[in-house]
Amino acid sequence: MKNILKDNLIFCLIILSGCGGGTSSPLPIDNSNQIPEPIALFNSDPITLLDAASYYSNACNNPSFQFLIPTKINEDAYTDFIAHYWCDSLTPAEYDIAPTPDALVAYVSDNFGEYKIDNVNVFGEINPKLGGASRKYARGDINEDGKDDFAFAINWEDGRASFNYQSMISNYAKPAVLLSNDSGYQVIRLGAEDWGHSVQIKDKKVFFAGHSSQVFELIGSNWINISDSYDNLSFASFLIFDDFIINSVRKEFSQGLELIKDNKVISSIMIEESFKVNFESWNNAGSNNFSELGVYNIQGENYFHGMISEMCKKDDIIVATINASKLISGEIEEGGYYSESETMPVVIFSFYEIYNESLRELDINIINEEINHNFNFFDCIDVNNDQRKDIIAQVFSEQWNDQDNNRGVPEVYINDNGSYFNLDTSNWPVYSYTDDSQGYLYDIDDNATPDLIVFPLKINTSGSIEIYTTNKNITD
């Protein structure tokens, strides 16, 4: 009898069931073959920066939204922003001497990703201004305090007339600098009025180009004019590259790049003009005021007025954009009469390097390059953490353009061992409003993946800014 009880006890222990009426324990579930839920690239709910209407409405109700500049103003984990707005002329194509109205707005974050407008603490006033329309800006640390400073090429090119010398100089304005201080930024206007178009920063020097060159160096608290040492900066675009300056130039019958060292041209790459036509610009629309305009053959096609408009330094390579325009339909004929309203813009990438103090063009391929999307600016940054810089074109998503409307999403060209491919962004979130829009990539929450920032080109329906944060690498 004892042996039978002992055998029953051993059997109970082996099958892990409670003898005497107990319940059995469940066996562990094997999850090794289950597929985990995919991680979404973007969070579906954007961070929204509210329309700054109560600030820019002091200038006008429907300004152009020129820049939304990411920077660090406070010490939390999120990036802050400085927005610049300026107003189009109320009397386009007419002579005007009044300043182009503009407005600066500071969006300051907190640790929870919420933003508020704080102009008083950042700029020291409610309605700060740069003094006109901003065409380009440059980032640097001019006063060496570890914070970003910004320099702006400023003009009054708001649609007013520009067909003779008198009306041309009515587009002139002083260059501007946002110089960092303990709480934010001080607006500084420098030098002489000019039709500001290009700007660069190198160390404590600020370089401006319009119809003349203006260069200033910050020594202590004083701005020293050193323009005499840099009298050859390009109105269209220039790049400071080590000890060199690279200028975009147009001569009488050619356009291209010049390499400058010690204020002297030491090398150049030029494209010869194919022929001339008669052309009426937007500012002169309907006036029958035609001017001769060159036509250039670029990569096998004829374009109006092709010229390099922007450059960036990508390691040892110069990345440049050639801005031009083409007829919406038909072929360009020598000596013909054309209006800008009959054209559409194109932007074409080109690549160069400096070799033995000479410029040379590089044959670099961009697969599925979209040249029919217009844009002014692009970034040379690594957006997929592979230690290779990519190209991010901040395209204008415009409803009048027959090409696909990106709705604020930039063109993303991924560096693939020296060539580039156009990343498929068709499933990315877009700007919520149907207004013409623009956007770029920037890591605003410091998680090592770039986020998508989208906002309008011009305030029509809304001036809201939307930020779609990312959860993983954009090429995963």
Side-chain angles (χ1 to χ4, degrees), residues 264-278:
K264 297 179 181 178
V265 177
I266 61 173
S267 176
S268 65
I269 294 178
M270 305 296 290
I271 299 175
E272 296 298 319
E273 181 183 292
S274 298
F275 53 82
K276 287 188 181 295
V277 296
N278 302 285

Side-chain angles (χ1 to χ4, degrees), residues 431-474:
Y431 190 52
S432 296
Y433 299 88
T434 57
D435 291 350
D436 294 345
S437 52
Q438 57 191 313
Y440 58 85
L441 298 177
Y442 195 90
D443 182 9
I444 70 112
D445 53 3
D446 201 26
N447 73 340
T449 62
D451 308 302
L452 174 64
I453 297 98
V454 289
F455 55 104
L457 281 170
K458 186 177 176 65
I459 309 301
N460 289 315
T461 304
S462 173
S464 292
I465 299 155
E466 296 174 346
I467 304 171
Y468 290 91
T469 54
T470 46
N471 300 303
K472 61 179 181 177
N473 194 311
I474 65 170

Side-chain angles (χ1 to χ4, degrees), residues 280-455:
E280 183 186 59
S281 67
W282 289 114
N283 284 8
N284 299 323
S287 67
N288 288 321
N289 194 336
F290 288 87
S291 300
E292 280 195 330
L293 186 70
V295 173
Y296 294 88
N297 190 277
I298 302 168
Q299 299 182 9
E301 298 288 338
N302 283 336
Y303 297 102
F304 295 111
H305 208 53
M307 192 173 185
I308 289 173
S309 61
E310 190 72 355
M311 291 179 276
C312 77
K313 181 180 178 182
K314 192 181 76 65
D315 302 322
D316 294 328
I317 294 175
I318 301 149
V319 184
T321 46
I322 304 173
N323 278 58
S325 61
K326 67 179 184 180
L327 280 178
I328 295 173
S329 63
E331 298 293 329
I332 305 172
E333 296 182 2
E334 183 173 1
Y337 284 78
Y338 301 98
S339 172
E340 195 161 358
S341 61
E342 300 175 88
T343 71
M344 64 180 298
V346 297
V347 187
I348 304 164
F349 279 103
S350 54
F351 302 86
Y352 308 86
E353 69 175 356
I354 300 170
Y355 182 77
N356 288 339
E357 298 200 345
S358 293
L359 280 173
R360 66 180 183 185
E361 189 168 4
L362 300 174
D363 184 14
I364 293 178
N365 185 37
I366 298 180
I367 300 170
N368 296 325
E369 180 179 3
E370 176 54 88
I371 71 169
N372 292 316
H373 276 157
N374 189 23
F375 61 93
N376 286 334
F377 309 112
F378 64 96
D379 298 312
C380 294
I381 56 176
D382 178 11
V383 292
N384 61 339
N385 296 315
D386 64 356
Q387 312 308 311
R388 294 192 294 261
K389 289 184 179 178
D390 312 295
I391 301 172
I392 316 302
Q394 300 174 28
V395 301
F396 299 152
S397 298
E398 297 164 308
Q399 296 182 57
W400 62 264
N401 195 326
D402 290 336
Q403 296 301 116
D404 292 337
N405 191 325
N406 279 31
R407 296 280 300 278
V409 177
E411 295 286 348
V412 181
Y413 297 110
I414 297 296
N415 189 337
D416 186 19
N417 292 316
S419 63
Y420 296 83
F421 66 88
N422 194 337
L423 183 69
D424 181 6
T425 59
S426 58
N427 291 322
W428 285 22
V430 297
Y431 190 52
S432 296
Y433 299 88
T434 57
D435 291 350
D436 294 345
S437 52
Q438 57 191 313
Y440 58 85
L441 298 177
Y442 195 90
D443 182 9
I444 70 112
D445 53 3
D446 201 26
N447 73 340
T449 62
D451 308 302
L452 174 64
I453 297 98
V454 289
F455 55 104

Side-chain angles (χ1 to χ4, degrees), residues 78-133:
Y78 286 84
T79 294
D80 310 297
F81 296 92
I82 296 172
H84 188 232
Y85 308 85
W86 57 267
C87 304
D88 291 302
S89 173
L90 296 176
T91 56
E94 294 185 13
Y95 179 70
D96 194 357
I97 59 172
T100 298
D102 76 292
L104 284 166
V105 172
Y107 287 95
V108 181
S109 60
D110 61 24
N111 275 317
F112 303 100
E114 300 289 335
Y115 285 82
K116 67 177 181 179
I117 295 173
D118 194 4
N119 277 5
V120 171
N121 285 321
V122 174
F123 299 116
E125 57 180 307
I126 295 176
N127 297 311
K129 304 175 185 298
L130 288 179

Side-chain angles (χ1 to χ4, degrees), residues 197 225 286 344:
H197 200 274
N225 191 329
M344 64 180 298

